[in-house]
Amino acid sequence: MSLPFVDRSSSSLPVQFVAQPKWRAWLKEQSAARRGWIESTGVSGNAGDLVVVPGRDGKAAGAVLVSPAKPVLWDFGGLATRLPVGTWKFVSDPAPVSMTDAMVAIGLGTWKFDRYKAKKSKPGPRFVWPEGADKARATAMIEAISLARDLITTPSSDMGPAELAAAAQALGKAHKARVKVIVGDDLLKQNYPMVHAVGRASSRAPRLIDLVWGKESDPKVTLVGKGVCFDTGGLDLKPAAGMLNMKKDMGGAATVLAVASMVMAARLPVRLRVLVPAVENSVSGNAFRPLDVVPTRKGLSVEIGNTDAEGRLILCDALHEGASEKPGMMVDCATLTGAARVALGTDLPALFCNDDALADDLLAAGKAVTDPMWRMPLFQGYRRLLDSRVADLNNVSGGTFGGAITAALYLQAFVPDDVPWAHFDMMAWNNSSRPGRPEGGEAQAARAIFAAIEKRISNPT
């Protein structure tokens, strides 16, 4: 995407921020003509109000944004779409939001997905990089999140396992990372039986994407992302409404690629590994069936209680492999359960974690960068719900309650207790447009995960 920023401009227009509690005092200080214009627009000083002030020629001469008493970065994201075309420059400080974060919000607010439209979107307003903004950091974040949004929003016809692998390979090439892709029946030869079982019914072969970057001597960080490029539900077929937006079922994979992009762009001193099992859960004569028993990379056997609970199946092979290196931090991201959305809604990813220190770091990072999440319990009392009479465990519980918890407990069975591990169950989609967050795919928790990695590396315990 083309970023809406310029280094300098001789004809930029000023954008001023006025905190909502100070609005009335500020308005009294303005000239009678300006005050009259502002009052005529209907702006009353509510947080989020934006007024464009005209000059003597009738054209825009500046703008004033009323910010909340305690603003967050998204409060500035609307400038990307609400200001008239032109070049704008901050003339006041968005504090406590940093200049860098304000520009991230603006940059993300300009994201559009018009790949399939004959008529492309027209350019919007541009912004002069403000003094004090970290251009490289902001650009890396915008590009990483935009990459994830593009991948998630692309229709499955153009975003299958091969295309997802190609995107990972392109990212790896850009940062000189090593990328290995295991395809089709080679998954069986290299002992990824669950990835193969879930993806074998599709005409588009399943694969395991394995990206490695950094020095082997640096602290190990491993990211695992669910890459179900389309989910029919398998033989436990979804209804039409449930299948409608399943192109986003690889949102976890896109999210960890976004985190990886930020880590590599920042050149954090970590040995990064990204594992993405990429499949299409389809229906054909060789599809895996309900009550089949399938082996896993760990050696545990799994009875298939429901073929529509496929995400945890492909993740378990990848998690076991990721944990084999004993990373100091392992995070998986997945659009895993509707139960998590019922519990927390679409904007709040559920966090499950086997390590309190890691959970605290992620929660603190999410709060600091306005990328929220909510911790849910790995309640061991529900582990019995995954018991199977014919295998080591079932992939689903027998009931309808606690589905997000039992899904997380299934994954935990493949992660040793001595590997700090966090699991995000997320929507990966914006159902409607808000400032900085247009409708479409979204890399939820990506900025928080990056911030937590950065903090743990700079302040090792």
Side-chain angles (χ1 to χ4, degrees):
M1 63 178 292
S2 177
L3 298 184
F5 306 125
V6 296
D7 287 326
R8 61 183 65 86
S9 172
S10 59
S11 58
S12 59
L13 302 172
V15 181
Q16 184 175 1
F17 309 123
V18 178
Q20 192 273 333
K22 299 180 180 179
W23 171 257
R24 292 188 180 278
W26 177 87
L27 189 61
K28 289 180 180 180
E29 296 174 354
Q30 307 309 302
S31 67
R34 172 172 280 206
R35 186 167 58 251
W37 167 260
I38 293 173
E39 290 174 343
S40 72
T41 65
V43 168
S44 57
N46 294 321
D49 281 352
L50 176 69
V51 60
V52 176
V53 182
R56 293 181 178 178
D57 58 2
K59 297 180 180 180
V64 181
L65 175 70
V66 183
S67 61
K70 296 180 179 180
V72 297
L73 78 166
W74 300 123
D75 292 313
F76 304 94
L79 295 173
T81 53
R82 296 175 66 192
L83 286 173
V85 173
T87 302
W88 300 83
K89 181 178 181 179
F90 291 1
V91 294
S92 56
D93 195 330
V97 176
S98 70
M99 291 290 192
T100 301
D101 284 347
M103 300 309 271
V104 168
I106 289 172
L108 292 177
T110 65
W111 177 82
K112 298 180 180 68
F113 190 80
D114 55 9
R115 172 177 171 178
Y116 298 93
K117 292 188 176 182
K119 186 177 181 180
K120 304 300 182 184
S121 303
K122 295 181 179 180
R126 302 183 71 81
F127 298 83
V128 178
W129 282 107
E131 185 177 348
D134 187 331
K135 292 167 54 178
R137 185 180 181 87
T139 298
M141 287 190 172
I142 295 166
E143 290 179 343
I145 302 299
S146 297
L147 168 65
R149 290 175 172 180
D150 287 344
L151 294 176
I152 299 168
T153 312
T154 299
S156 297
S157 55
D158 291 324
M159 187 50 61
E163 290 81 7
L164 185 56
Q169 289 170 321
L171 179 64
K173 183 178 181 180
H175 294 281
K176 298 181 180 179
R178 304 185 301 279
V179 182
K180 175 184 176 182
V181 182
I182 306 169
V183 182
D185 289 345
D186 284 344
L187 290 165
L188 294 176
K189 296 176 183 177
Q190 299 192 40
N191 194 27
Y192 291 95
M194 272 298 188
V195 182
H196 183 272
V198 174
R200 73 192 183 203
S202 174
S203 60
R204 303 196 283 185
R207 56 207 69 207
L208 190 283
I209 303 162
D210 189 348
L211 179 151
V212 177
W213 176 87
K215 298 178 182 178
E216 289 294 328
S217 57
D218 283 338
K220 290 183 172 64
V221 173
T222 298
L223 307 175
V224 180
K226 174 186 171 184
V228 178
C229 296
F230 192 81
D231 182 19
T232 66
L235 290 174
D236 287 307
L237 197 66
K238 291 178 181 290
M243 205 183 302
L244 186 62
N245 207 20
M246 281 299 100
K247 68 177 184 179
K248 78 172 185 66
D249 213 17
M250 39 64 68
T255 299
V256 298
L257 290 176
V259 177
S261 180
M262 287 186 269
V263 168
M264 294 187 290
R267 303 199 64 79
L268 297 187
V270 298
R271 192 274 200 169
L272 176 69
R273 190 178 189 190
V274 181
L275 292 162
V276 173
V279 303
E280 186 173 47
N281 188 21
S282 298
V283 177
S284 71
N286 69 335
F288 73 121
R289 296 166 288 267
L291 300 190
D292 277 357
V293 175
V294 184
T296 65
R297 185 174 182 82
K298 184 175 180 178
L300 296 176
S301 59
V302 177
E303 183 180 20
I304 306 302
N306 192 309
T307 64
D308 195 21
E310 83 300 328
R312 67 198 71 179
L313 297 177
I314 62 172
L315 285 172
C316 72
D317 276 357
L319 285 170
H320 179 70
E321 170 56 26
S324 69
E325 296 184 321
K326 301 295 182 184
M329 172 181 179
M330 184 165 70
V331 177
D332 81 74
C333 295
T335 51
L336 207 64
T337 69
R341 306 289 69 76
V342 171
L344 300 177
T346 58
D347 293 345
L348 201 57
L351 165 66
F352 295 86
C353 192
N354 68 352
D355 182 272
D356 288 342
L358 175 57
D360 289 345
D361 284 349
L362 287 165
L363 290 166
K367 184 176 182 179
V369 303
T370 317
D371 201 4
M373 63 196 72
W374 196 265
R375 190 177 184 185
M376 300 278 277
L378 285 165
F379 179 58
Q380 297 303 314
Y382 290 162
R383 175 61 180 81
R384 71 185 190 282
L385 300 176
L386 297 174
D387 288 346
S388 167
R389 294 181 180 179
V390 300
D392 293 314
L393 71 165
N394 202 301
N395 74 321
V396 294
S397 65
T400 59
F401 300 110
I405 297 174
T406 54
L409 290 172
Y410 174 90
L411 297 178
Q412 189 180 25
F414 298 87
V415 180
D417 292 339
D418 60 352
V419 173
W421 160 70
H423 159 59
F424 285 94
D425 189 337
M426 57 182 56
M427 179 70 172
W429 191 266
N430 292 319
N431 285 326
S432 60
S433 293
R434 291 163 294 163
R437 295 153 291 178
E439 180 180 348
E442 186 59 274
Q444 292 175 320
R447 291 182 301 109
I449 295 168
F450 169 73
I453 295 171
E454 193 172 41
K455 177 181 180 296
R456 289 170 74 88
I457 293 304
S458 60
N459 298 298
T461 55

